[in-house]
Amino acid sequence: MVSIFNVATSEEDVTGRDLGRAVESLLAGWAERLAVPVEVWALPTGEVPDGTARLAYRVLVDALDRGAGAREISVAMTTGRTLRLTVSCDGVPPQDDAREADKEADKEAAAANPLRAQVAALRGVYSTGSGASEHMTITLELPLP
């Protein structure tokens, strides 16, 4: 199992077989540590390549970091023909939500963000958007073999 308190060293231990358990452990630790309710809509049940699992896990950690200060976080990660991740953060302070939502900005950001570049290299999509002033949604789609 993965502990939120040791994410930096434990993310390399995440495999495509145990991604669901690792995500569940991460979210439980995150909610406990930050006292922020985390609603889990779905966890991955299918096996995915180890590299894809590690990348999705790192994107989830990045999304949770971006949602720092949120009042509530909702997460769904599913597997099928693609691995899909949606992180929805409500109550994000407006100054923390100054992110580009359009696809062109996401493409430009890929060069500056190693995670976005890795996702793009796998022909995936990693985007950040905001609806209401205190709402942010981060999505990831990675094609699976």
Side-chain angles (χ1 to χ4, degrees), residues 104-120:
E104 286 305 312
D106 283 338
K107 288 178 187 175
E108 291 173 13
N113 183 318
L115 285 178
R116 288 183 186 272
Q118 290 173 15
V119 169

Side-chain angles (χ1 to χ4, degrees), residues 9-136:
T9 58
S10 64
E11 71 186 32
E12 290 306 316
D13 295 332
V14 174
T15 67
R17 192 173 325 124
D18 72 354
L19 179 60
R21 286 188 305 255
V23 168
E24 184 175 34
S25 178
L26 171 71
L27 295 174
W30 196 271
E32 182 180 320
R33 189 177 110 198
L34 298 180
V36 173
V38 176
E39 182 179 1
V40 180
W41 293 334
L43 291 172
T45 56
E47 189 170 335
V48 300
D50 289 348
T52 301
R54 288 183 193 106
L55 179 56
Y57 187 84
R58 284 191 300 268
V59 168
L60 175 58
V61 170
D62 184 59
L64 292 172
D65 283 340
R66 289 171 180 252
R71 288 188 303 266
E72 182 177 278
I73 298 173
S74 301
V75 177
M77 185 184 287
T78 60
T79 52
R81 290 184 181 209
T82 62
L83 182 148
R84 294 174 196 240
L85 168 66
T86 302
V87 179
S88 179
C89 304
D90 287 320
V92 178
Q95 65 272 18
D96 291 343
D97 195 27
R99 315 216 195 295
E100 299 87 352
D102 61 65
K103 291 183 181 182
E104 286 305 312
D106 283 338
K107 288 178 187 175
E108 291 173 13
N113 183 318
L115 285 178
R116 288 183 186 272
Q118 290 173 15
V119 169
L122 293 177
R123 297 175 324 207
V125 177
Y126 178 16
S127 62
T128 305
S130 59
S133 63
E134 292 189 346
H135 181 84
M136 177 177 58

